[in-house]
Amino acid sequence: MSPVPSQLTPRRAVPAARGPSPAPSRRLPRPLRQAAPALLGYLAVRLLGLLVLARWAHLRGHGVWPTLATSWDSGWYLGIADHGYDAELGTRTNHNNLAFFPLYPVLVKAFAAVTPGSRASVGLVLAWVCSLLAAWGVFAVGERLHGRRTGTLLAVLWGATPVALVQWMGYTESLFTALAAWALYAVLTGRWAWAAGLAVAAGLTRPTGVAVAAAVAAGALLAVRRGERRALPAALAAPLGWLGYVAWVGVRLGRWDGYFAVQRTWTNQWDGGAETLRQLRELLVYARHPHLFLVVVSVVLVVSAGLFLLCLADRQPLPLLVFSGVLLLVVLGSGGVYFPRARFLVPGFPLLLPVALALARARRPAAGLVLAGAALSSAWLGGYMLLVWPGPP
């Protein structure tokens, strides 16, 4: 389907021909060739993080594979793949696995049935593959809006965020970011069936899938307002994945608020940001010796809010603003646990667009220095997060 001209799809000049090119059978597809520098840059950053983690883990007597594949939330997803979901609400805190959305464990179980190796290995490989698809989607959105250089920098920056190591763990961040990025790209290019399908899948992956659904619905309704009636089904279908899982949990537990009751057993409920502000004030103002990881989480939250204001000032396309805004609203407005909130914002790659644009305009040595600093700090913080911080990432 060809892109639909609109304010969501800025026009760019078509590059002039540069003479004969190799036969199609001897080269990569053009979209992959376009994305190759971004993917290679992303891989370089994440491999650096893996090497630092491996060395650190060796010094502390830990194994890298179990640390990445089976620790913390990875165990919950593997448990769902092995035994399915709980049938009752129960009363134990932080115990009911219905809090975890189903797409990732379903994929792990399906691929493990037809491939060698344990489900933990399959889950980890799946996360790695999804991280590359996500980096490609991040590049595609940045390239669509501001050109290849910005798209490349955006993908590398996404791989160099402070807690980016979770992208290569048995977690859902990579899968969710891949679905979100390609859903946003589909909206920008007017591929409404793809946008709706990816939004439904995102809604089955994480609670924040509601942000993808809202972004797709906003873009589709804007298109309908311009006269593109074929976009209306996408607006209606986008939230069905998230709504479907929430409804299924309600039916399984025999109560209409079943999913939200599960979240309350995890001490996770909406409070409009009161708990976030309390934690920020405590950690950044009053605490004498705050834990480094919690300080990093706090800084990520504050910087993310500031970057969203820059995104508004840059007049990003509405779907990107809606996605980032709803994601921030969910993460900052939650009254639940504080420490994983930097991880919850990993899929918010549009927040990095102002930084990517600034680096694209900067001189290459300055941009390289910033990227190197980000990559090194991300690598060190990744090892610290898994091997020193005593809780989940």
Side-chain angles (χ1 to χ4, degrees), residues 226-315:
R226 295 193 308 267
E228 297 178 43
R229 295 182 179 179
R230 64 189 180 85
L232 182 59
L236 299 175
L240 293 182
W242 188 88
L243 290 173
Y245 181 68
V246 170
W248 180 81
V249 173
V251 171
R252 187 170 182 83
L253 296 181
R255 49 187 296 178
W256 69 270
D257 66 339
Y259 173 75
F260 304 100
V262 169
Q263 289 295 338
R264 286 193 292 272
T265 69
W266 286 81
T267 64
N268 188 20
Q269 51 192 326
W270 174 264
D271 70 355
E275 176 64 14
T276 302
L277 291 175
R278 189 191 71 79
Q279 290 278 3
L280 286 172
R281 184 172 62 249
E282 174 67 25
L283 288 164
L284 300 181
V285 179
Y286 296 115
R288 293 186 177 182
H289 304 288
H291 200 290
L292 175 61
F293 182 71
L294 295 179
V295 173
V296 170
V297 171
S298 301
V299 170
V300 168
L301 297 183
V302 173
V303 170
S304 296
L307 288 174
F308 182 68
L309 295 179
L310 290 179
C311 293
L312 289 171
D314 285 347
R315 297 183 179 181

Side-chain angles (χ1 to χ4, degrees), residues 21 27 91 118 124 205 233 356 360 386:
S21 57
R27 66 183 186 186
T91 57
S118 67
L124 190 56
T205 304
L386 289 186

Side-chain angles (χ1 to χ4, degrees), residues 9-393:
T9 56
R11 297 173 180 270
R12 297 193 309 277
V14 177
R18 297 185 179 180
S21 57
S25 60
R26 297 182 181 179
R27 66 183 186 186
L28 295 172
R30 184 176 181 277
L32 187 55
R33 285 189 291 113
Q34 286 284 98
L39 296 178
L40 291 174
Y42 172 79
L43 272 175
V45 170
R46 294 297 353 122
L47 285 173
L48 173 64
L50 185 61
L51 289 174
V52 170
L53 176 67
R55 178 58 179 167
W56 201 334
H58 175 72
L59 293 175
R60 295 177 67 92
H62 295 291
V64 174
W65 179 89
T67 300
L68 294 175
T70 63
S71 60
W72 302 111
D73 285 5
S74 303
W76 285 100
Y77 290 115
L78 293 173
I80 294 169
D82 288 337
H83 309 296
Y85 280 106
D86 294 335
E88 298 179 351
L89 180 61
T91 57
R92 295 175 60 183
T93 302
N94 300 338
H95 186 72
N96 194 300
N97 66 7
L98 287 164
F100 297 88
F101 278 53
L103 184 58
Y104 178 71
V106 166
L107 290 176
V108 169
K109 184 175 183 178
F111 283 114
V114 296
T115 57
S118 67
R119 285 177 175 170
S121 298
V122 169
L124 190 56
V125 171
L126 179 62
W128 292 349
V129 172
C130 287
S131 75
L132 292 174
L133 293 175
W136 191 356
V138 170
F139 163 80
V141 171
E143 192 270 344
R144 180 76 189 179
L145 295 175
H146 300 292
R148 189 180 184 188
R149 178 174 170 79
T150 300
T152 300
L153 290 167
L154 184 62
V156 175
L157 283 171
W158 180 70
T161 52
V163 296
L165 183 61
V166 298
Q167 298 167 10
W168 278 19
M169 293 179 66
Y171 275 47
T172 59
E173 271 67 26
S174 291
L175 172 61
F176 182 74
T177 306
L179 295 169
W182 285 109
L184 291 172
Y185 181 78
V187 171
L188 294 175
T189 54
R191 294 170 167 87
W192 299 113
W194 276 104
L198 291 165
V200 169
L204 292 169
T205 304
R206 291 192 61 80
T208 45
V210 68
V212 182
V216 171
L221 292 175
L222 187 62
V224 171
R225 185 179 179 184
R226 295 193 308 267
E228 297 178 43
R229 295 182 179 179
R230 64 189 180 85
L232 182 59
L236 299 175
L240 293 182
W242 188 88
L243 290 173
Y245 181 68
V246 170
W248 180 81
V249 173
V251 171
R252 187 170 182 83
L253 296 181
R255 49 187 296 178
W256 69 270
D257 66 339
Y259 173 75
F260 304 100
V262 169
Q263 289 295 338
R264 286 193 292 272
T265 69
W266 286 81
T267 64
N268 188 20
Q269 51 192 326
W270 174 264
D271 70 355
E275 176 64 14
T276 302
L277 291 175
R278 189 191 71 79
Q279 290 278 3
L280 286 172
R281 184 172 62 249
E282 174 67 25
L283 288 164
L284 300 181
V285 179
Y286 296 115
R288 293 186 177 182
H289 304 288
H291 200 290
L292 175 61
F293 182 71
L294 295 179
V295 173
V296 170
V297 171
S298 301
V299 170
V300 168
L301 297 183
V302 173
V303 170
S304 296
L307 288 174
F308 182 68
L309 295 179
L310 290 179
C311 293
L312 289 171
D314 285 347
R315 297 183 179 181
Q316 282 185 8
L318 179 64
L320 271 67
L321 291 174
V322 170
F323 172 67
S324 300
V326 174
L327 184 65
L328 280 170
L329 191 65
V330 172
V331 174
L332 298 181
S334 169
V337 290
Y338 187 76
F339 52 81
R341 299 193 191 194
R343 170 169 65 87
F344 294 164
L345 287 176
V346 165
F349 70 91
L351 295 170
L352 299 172
L353 259 175
V355 182
L357 278 168
L359 291 178
R361 295 165 183 155
R363 294 184 177 181
R364 290 184 182 272
L369 188 62
V370 171
L371 291 177
L376 289 170
S377 62
S378 176
W380 186 85
L381 284 168
Y384 184 92
M385 175 180 68
L386 289 186
L387 300 174
V388 179
W389 163 246

